[in-house]
Amino acid sequence: MKRAHFITATGTDLGKTWLTAGVAGVCAARGVAVRALKPVMSGYDEASPASSDAGVLLDGSGTAAEVARISPWRFAAPLSPDRAAALEGRAIDFAELVGWCRGEIERNEGLLLIEGIGGVMVPLDERHTVRDLVAALGIPALLVAGTYLGSLSHTLTALAALREVGIVPAAVVLNESAGSTVSVEDAAASLEPHLGAVRLIIVRRDDAAGLEGLADFLTKDLK
């Protein structure tokens, strides 16, 4: 059996890469075939590929060639990908991006994790956002959210944006924000009544047990 999930978020710097890499590591340790991709990446330093998000997905040992293999659209400026591309005189061909991702999904064996860039409404070009990519691929999505003050509104807004185009996340992953004045318990208690049938998974900061639980969810019945 094989399975693919798209990892998106309510915004940036919420732990998508840490969660994706962590789950991939748990699955690999269990003997589950797993791959992680980061199709689009900005803020990329060619001199330090291993420290990039894609490098982290490669267990911190990725060479430039290996990073290029899992992250074909790489841009130097730490901006939204549409602007980062424009600064280099480039543009993301959305159809090509969708086609590349579909090809990776088709040839996948085991668990495939596709990590998005930024939040669900980050522009990829003049017409498309990350939400459009999720919709085009048609694979289950995980929405990563934080627990910082204000995160509830951001999370419900992101959910509304996804539902507007028929995307119902497989789960919302509440990833504890560093230094937050809001407890995970309070954030979950406020958020859960608004989720309907969407599952809420809590991962505390640097929580190995939480990663194990997330891996259990993603690999259930996967042989």
Side-chain angles (χ1 to χ4, degrees):
M1 294 177 64
K2 59 184 182 180
R3 183 173 300 160
H5 279 83
F6 195 102
I7 315 298
T8 188
T10 64
T12 193
D13 291 333
L14 291 174
K16 291 192 308 298
T17 301
W18 178 76
L19 286 165
T20 304
V23 168
V26 169
C27 291
R30 294 176 177 179
V32 175
V34 59
R35 291 192 301 134
L37 308 174
K38 177 88 174 185
V40 181
M41 184 166 55
S42 59
Y44 178 63
D45 181 359
E46 290 186 355
S48 185
S51 65
S52 68
D53 285 352
V56 173
L57 296 183
L58 291 165
D59 199 24
S61 59
T63 65
E66 290 170 327
V67 165
R69 178 174 50 79
I70 71 167
S71 184
W73 288 268
R74 304 174 308 285
F75 309 102
L79 299 171
S80 60
D82 62 327
R83 295 308 307 150
L87 288 178
E88 298 179 16
R90 302 164 60 194
I92 295 174
D93 184 318
F94 184 73
E96 184 181 348
L97 171 60
V98 171
W100 183 85
C101 290
R102 284 177 176 167
E104 293 297 315
I105 293 168
E106 180 62 29
R107 74 179 186 86
N108 180 58
E109 297 295 337
L111 179 65
L112 178 66
L113 303 173
I114 302 179
E115 183 191 339
I117 182 168
V120 297
M121 295 304 292
V122 164
L124 297 172
D125 61 18
E126 292 181 350
R127 294 180 49 229
H128 301 96
T129 66
V130 169
R131 178 180 71 170
D132 296 307
L133 178 58
V134 179
L137 296 180
I139 60 176
L142 296 183
L143 180 65
V144 179
T147 62
Y148 57 88
L149 189 62
S151 65
L152 295 176
S153 179
H154 296 164
T155 303
L156 294 178
T157 300
L159 278 170
L162 291 171
R163 286 168 169 158
E164 187 177 46
V165 293
I167 300 170
V168 179
V172 171
V173 181
L174 196 59
N175 187 30
E176 185 178 19
S177 301
S180 176
T181 58
V182 181
S183 71
V184 174
E185 291 79 11
D186 282 336
S190 290
L191 184 60
E192 199 156 23
H194 297 275
L195 297 184
V198 177
R199 179 166 177 172
L200 180 64
I201 298 175
I202 295 174
V203 179
R204 297 179 184 277
R205 189 159 185 81
D206 299 326
D207 178 13
L211 290 175
E212 294 272 356
L214 184 55
D216 290 340
F217 175 74
L218 293 176
T219 59
K220 184 179 180 181
D221 301 323
L222 183 66
K223 302 297 182 181

